[in-house]
Every structure is written in C-alpha cells, then in structure tokens.
Amino acid sequence: MAEDKSPEEQMNNLAVNDDDDVVDPWNVSGKSETGIDYDKLIKRFGSSKIDDEVIQRFEKVTGKKAHHLLRRGIFFSHRDIHSILNLVEAGKKFYLYTGRGPSSDSMHLGHMIPFMFTKWLQDVFDVPLIIQLTDDEKVLWRDIKVEQARQMAHTNAKDIIAVGFSPENTFIFNDLDFIGQCPAFYQNMLRIQKCVTFNQVKGIFGFGDSDVIGKITFPSIEAAPAFSTSFPFIFDNKVVPCLVPCAIDQDPYFRMTRDVAARLKMPKPALLHSSFLPALQGAQHKMSASDPNASIFLNDTAKQIKNKINKYAFSGGQATVDEHREKGGNTEVDISYKYLTFFLEDDQRLAEIKKSYESGEMLTGELKKIAVDTVTPVITDYQARRALVTDDVMQDFFRIRRIKF
Ligand code: TRP
C-alpha cells in the first residue's frame, strides 16, 4: 500500500497506462460506460476505501445514521479518517476545510455534492468550517482577469452559502483578497513552498517547462488552509487537526500537503473523497458546466430539469418495451438511476426501484419521472434559500473574525 512507497512515488498518481481513467484536478474521464473505476483509483492513489467498518464506526462515534452519500459509497475513499474519529471520541476538536475554484458559469448539481456532505459533517460534529475560493487559480489556469475572478468568487460564495451554511461557524475567503490581509497565511505558504521541489510538483501535477510559474507555486496556496496556524484569528496559534471533504480529483494537492505536514511537524490533514456526479449523457464524464445539455444547473427551472432528464439522461433500458420487459434495465449505466442514488434518501424505496427496473417491470419513462420528481425539489428548495442570500449576508461570512470553535 501507499506507506510502502517512497514519498515521491506516493505523491505521484498520474495516469500511466492506456486503460487508466484520467482523474486529476483539471481532467476527469473514464474508459468504461459504467464510469470511473473507483476501486482502481484507490489503489493508484494509495488512499483507503470507506467500507462497512468505517461507516459503522462513523455511526458509533456520532450516534447518528450515516449520511446516504456515505452509506452508498458516493463518498468512497479516505485518508486517516480514524484519527479524526479518535479525536472526537477523546472529546477533542478538529475543523473542516473545503473549497471551490470560482467560475462564471452557474453552479451545477455536481458542485453541490461535496458542500451538501460538508454541511452534514459540520452539523453532526459541531465544528468550524473554512471555505477557500481559489480565484487566483482561475486567473492562472483560464483566460480570466484578476478583477473578474474576484467578482466570480463573491457570486459563487452566495451559491455555496445557499447550501445552508451559517456565518456563526463558517469562514469563507477568496485568495485574492484574503492572503494580503493575513501574514500568518503567507508565512505558512512559504514554509510549504520550501518543502516541495519543482521535480515533485511535476510528478504530482504533471506541470511542464512551459507552464507559468504561478501554477508551480499554486499548490502551496491550496495546502495552507489545511494548517490551523494559517488562521490565527480563529484558532489563536493552536495546532488543530483538519478534515478535508473533497472530490477525489483534488487528492493530489493533499497528498502533497500530507507529505509537507510531516516535515513541518504539523498534523496531516485527513480526507474524505467523493466520486463524481455523472453527466446526463453517461457515466464516462462528470457533470461539467461547459456543456449545458450535460448538466443540471442550480438556476434551471422545473421545466428545464424535466426536459433535460427526459431528453438527455442516458438510459440503461432496452430498445423496445418487449425487450425491456424480458431483459430488464441496467442500473449500472442508467443516469436517472444514478441520480437517485445521489438524491433519493429513502434506502428502501431506492432498493424497490432498482429491483423493479432491473426485472423489466419498471420502464425507462417511469424511472425518468421518478428522477425528475426527486431532483426538482432539491433544486427549487435550494433556489428559495439562494434568493435570501443578499450582499450583506455574504459579507458576514468573509469578515476576518473569530467563529464558533
Ligand atoms: N481547486 C479547487 C477547485 O478548483 C478549489 C479548492 C480549494 C478546494 N481548496 C480546496 C476543493 C479544498 C476542495 C478542498 O475546485
């Protein structure tokens, strides 16, 4: 496993074989129509599977039923989650850190998954949450100006807040405004920069000789929030362990962070990794804002959602009704079914749907209708909350201040 490899090998996850799925912070695509092979990814990345034992321990420690995204293996991989659960058992605190690279496009359903789960973690553990908006990252990687990126960070913050966060225990910052105001953050960035060579970032991220130098140092900026000493106004100067819920494509940053942590004598951040919400057209691709027909946006109307699912959601059903009745549908590739695993909380109902669809009793049209009826209220409820997030509400989250800890 991972621990047997040298630090450099351990940090390097780049796809090497032709049949490897591509999963890095900039590209995600699977080779099979059933989607990414997540078990294989765990092996390649050297992380650990979230198995029944982990889920049971989660339930034991929290005294709550595990979230359906955990029960169903959508959050499927972790690093060191046991160390966090040990802390909780010992009555000690940790904090949560996650983030988003702001983009001009409206957020889609896939963006919401890690935030929905983070909200649940924050509620069950009653811990502070820090959200980083990497507007600087977008300036470096996309054709976007500094001013535009800052603007997008603020709009995106409103979208994130509407998932249900409270300024009482959540601090949100965008790099372009915050880093200059917080010397401790920059000092940690520098400590991190001093621990990582160009060779190592080339290995981890695949950077090349013609990449701009900002990209080469950027990983230190995503790493710094995983150390509590970056936020003295919240943690004084105490060393507090960190848990990062994120999509698996962000893991390279945290492999690097964990390696650096050991050398800085700081606790390694623990991680919980999610799989991706598939695009409407099929599980090979994740939902992506650049293709409007492949995605359900958080500002889509009920009518648009219905049309998109009916028209585009890839079906695992058979070509004709007779054939479908005989052979049944394939839930491994059916996108409407996959969406139900993400958004339909009732396990029993989900199991009944699976059985009925696979036996051929339930037809594709019926399954799509259930998907529409499940996804639509998730979005309309979200939209009602989003409408309440004014500039003032948003500013409260950005204020440099002590939050509940
Ligand atoms: N790089 C991430 C993105 O492009 C944003 C991000 C910053 C992030 N810090 C994070 C994501 C921590 C997860 C966890 O979306």
Side-chain angles (χ1 to χ4, degrees):
M1 280 270 310
E3 307 334 304
D4 302 322
K5 296 181 182 168
S6 74
E8 226 153 276
E9 281 172 323
Q10 202 182 114
M11 287 200 282
N12 186 337
N13 76 300
L14 300 173
V16 277
N17 302 315
D18 283 348
D19 62 345
D20 280 343
D21 294 327
V22 179
V23 177
D24 64 41
W26 305 282
N27 298 290
V28 175
S29 73
K31 300 281 188 246
S32 149
E33 68 169 3
T34 53
I36 313 245
D37 184 337
Y38 288 107
D39 283 331
K40 224 169 139 191
L41 213 54
I42 287 176
K43 290 212 186 85
R44 201 167 95 210
F45 282 17
S47 60
S48 308
K49 192 180 168 87
I50 297 183
D51 53 17
D52 287 345
E53 199 191 319
V54 173
I55 296 170
Q56 276 165 21
R57 178 136 196 254
F58 232 97
E59 296 193 328
K60 185 165 161 265
V61 172
T62 62
K64 300 248 160 60
K65 184 171 180 182
H67 192 278
H68 69 278
L69 292 173
L70 202 56
R71 299 199 299 271
R72 296 183 189 157
I74 291 171
F75 270 77
F76 70 102
S77 153
H78 75 92
R79 293 183 188 272
D80 269 351
I81 191 62
H82 287 295
S83 69
I84 296 289
L85 295 173
N86 292 345
L87 276 179
V88 175
E89 273 182 337
K92 299 204 179 109
K93 287 273 161 179
F94 66 95
Y95 71 102
L96 290 162
Y97 155 46
T98 191
R100 170 166 156 77
S103 67
S104 57
D105 317 278
S106 166
M107 274 174 69
H108 58 64
L109 263 183
H111 292 132
M112 220 169 131
I113 301 298
F115 289 106
M116 276 167 53
F117 187 66
T118 300
K119 166 85 175 101
W120 179 80
L121 289 171
Q122 189 182 30
D123 289 346
V124 294
F125 290 113
D126 187 23
V127 288
L129 163 65
I130 293 177
I131 301 177
Q132 176 182 46
L133 298 169
T134 49
D135 45 7
D136 48 355
E137 179 185 11
K138 297 297 141 174
V139 171
L140 290 167
W141 266 271
R142 303 255 176 99
D143 183 19
I144 287 171
K145 298 216 163 39
V146 167
E147 269 319 311
Q148 236 181 321
R150 289 179 62 215
Q151 197 57 50
M152 281 168 6
H154 289 106
T155 325
N156 281 225
K158 292 184 181 169
D159 294 345
I160 292 168
I161 290 165
V163 170
F165 297 107
S166 156
E168 197 197 357
N169 53 6
T170 306
F171 174 60
I172 305 183
F173 70 97
N174 63 307
D175 292 337
L176 283 167
D177 288 301
F178 175 68
I179 295 173
Q181 297 176 52
C182 186
F185 191 98
Y186 181 65
Q187 288 160 23
N188 273 345
M189 274 173 54
L190 197 67
R191 291 185 180 106
I192 297 161
Q193 289 169 9
K194 202 174 169 177
C195 290
V196 187
T197 66
F198 184 32
N199 250 331
Q200 285 171 322
V201 285
K202 275 199 227 176
I204 303 167
F205 300 97
F207 297 150
D209 289 347
S210 49
D211 276 310
V212 298
I213 60 174
K215 290 188 184 179
I216 295 152
T217 48
F218 175 76
S220 69
I221 306 179
E222 186 155 331
F227 300 130
S228 59
T229 51
S230 298
F231 306 99
F233 52 94
I234 297 174
F235 302 108
D236 295 308
N237 278 313
K238 294 204 183 67
V239 174
V240 180
C242 175
L243 169 62
V244 184
C246 63
I248 186 73
D249 63 334
Q250 297 299 302
D251 186 65
Y253 288 111
F254 299 107
R255 274 199 299 268
M256 185 198 87
T257 311
R258 287 166 55 83
D259 185 67
V260 167
R263 290 199 278 157
L264 293 178
K265 307 220 173 341
M266 294 290 280
K268 291 182 178 187
L271 290 149
L272 288 170
H273 296 125
S274 74
S275 56
F276 299 102
L277 183 72
L280 282 160
Q281 278 82 350
Q284 276 107 323
H285 296 284
K286 66 168 179 169
M287 196 172 267
S288 150
S290 49
D291 183 353
N293 291 332
S295 304
I296 296 172
F297 291 100
L298 298 180
N299 58 8
D300 279 348
T301 62
K303 197 169 159 211
Q304 283 172 314
I305 297 166
K306 187 172 167 197
N307 284 340
K308 283 185 189 179
I309 290 180
N310 283 336
K311 200 160 161 196
Y312 300 114
F314 185 81
S315 167
Q318 306 297 339
T320 65
V321 172
D322 286 346
E323 204 185 332
H324 188 88
R325 295 276 186 226
E326 189 194 323
K327 296 185 185 156
N330 180 357
T331 53
E332 292 280 305
V333 299
D334 194 288
I335 294 297
S336 302
Y337 180 77
K338 292 223 184 233
Y339 288 0
L340 291 180
T341 66
F342 280 78
F343 297 105
L344 181 66
E345 282 176 41
D346 184 337
D347 290 334
Q348 204 190 329
R349 176 132 190 264
L350 186 69
E352 283 162 13
I353 291 167
K354 182 171 158 64
K355 196 163 156 232
S356 170
Y357 192 60
E358 287 178 345
S359 72
E361 192 186 323
M362 181 182 285
L363 298 174
T364 292
E366 298 168 83
L367 180 64
K368 286 197 174 199
K369 180 165 186 316
I370 298 171
V372 171
D373 291 344
T374 304
V375 169
T376 307
V378 171
I379 297 205
T380 48
D381 289 355
Y382 168 84
Q383 288 170 347
R385 292 191 300 271
R386 176 67 177 82
L388 302 176
V389 186
T390 59
D391 282 337
D392 284 348
V393 170
M394 189 249 310
Q395 291 302 343
D396 268 352
F397 286 83
F398 280 78
R399 247 182 329 108
I400 294 184
R401 69 199 192 280
R402 195 168 290 280
I403 54 173
K404 189 178 146 211
F405 176 54

